[in-house]
Amino acid sequence: MPDGFLVTAATPDDHDDLFTAFSRIVEDGDGFPQNPPLLRHEFDEYWLAHSSVVAVARTDSGQLAGAYYLKPNFVGRASHIANAGYFVVGPFRRRGLGRSLVLHSLEQGRRLGFDALQFNLVFETNPARTLYEELGFSQIGRVPRAVEDEDALIYWRAL
Ligand SMILES: CC(C)(COP(=O)(O)OP(=O)(O)OC[C@H]1O[C@@H](n2cnc3c(N)ncnc32)[C@H](O)[C@@H]1OP(=O)(O)O)[C@@H](O)C(=O)NCCC(=O)NCCS
């Protein structure tokens, strides 16, 4: 992790902060497809209900700076493939925290027995694409006009 940040597994004490921060991401249309305003049960369903792990990054002073979830992308015989979603809170971006969260999730994925990680809907203009490609993800598909006429890409890498 970059200096000044600590990553831990989320506990119920983190959920209100996570909901608030992710609601802001959704409000800003920032990389995720949910419609604002995000409702608590939608957050619970997307972030908590199916996740194998949720991790939060906090500053030394305890502010929520970022988070990710990791969960099976598919059921049954394809459940060895994980899916993950990441965000970094605006003021903490471009300091390497996003990269550290992705790397952390790769380790966690391996630890949990997943053998691949797939992102289903990376909007074409999302700067995270550079990061994913640098970290060895391959673009394996394209979803035409996924949101408001913008295509999205599907990324995959082995763990
Ligand atoms: C994507 C996100 C998690 C990146 O977090 P971050 O902490 O800023 O990422 P990092 O500082 O580790 O940056 C890693 C690399 O990503 C790329 N990158 C990230 N933000 C960028 C931007 N605004 N413009 C250009 N490149 C960018 C760069 O290649 C960067 O490496 P560099 O700083 O060495 O140039 C953050 O922008 C975010 O929360 N976005 C909204 C939610 C989202 O889109 N999540 C991903 C859904 S697929």
Side-chain angles (χ1 to χ4, degrees), residues 69-152:
Y69 66 76
L70 186 79
K71 60 189 174 188
N73 198 33
F74 302 108
V75 298
R77 287 179 291 142
S79 63
H80 59 99
I81 303 167
N83 169 248
Y86 313 86
F87 73 79
V88 170
V89 174
F92 302 109
R93 289 184 188 173
R94 297 311 297 270
R95 302 188 198 179
L97 183 55
R99 186 185 301 270
S100 296
L101 289 173
V102 177
L103 289 170
H104 195 271
S105 72
L106 298 179
E107 269 180 44
Q108 292 293 307
R110 285 183 205 110
R111 187 183 64 81
L112 289 161
F114 292 107
D115 63 12
L117 178 55
Q118 179 172 325
F119 306 137
N120 302 319
L121 211 62
V122 181
F123 303 148
E124 191 156 35
T125 57
N126 195 326
R129 287 181 58 199
T130 314
L131 174 61
Y132 298 154
E133 288 169 17
E134 280 174 12
L135 295 181
F137 287 83
S138 306
Q139 188 186 312
I140 58 162
R142 172 177 289 270
V143 185
R145 297 180 303 284
V147 283
E148 292 104 27
D149 285 339
E150 182 176 358
D151 289 3

Side-chain angles (χ1 to χ4, degrees), residues 5-16:
F5 297 104
L6 181 68
V7 175
T8 57
T11 72
D13 286 346
D14 294 303
H15 293 173
D16 286 352

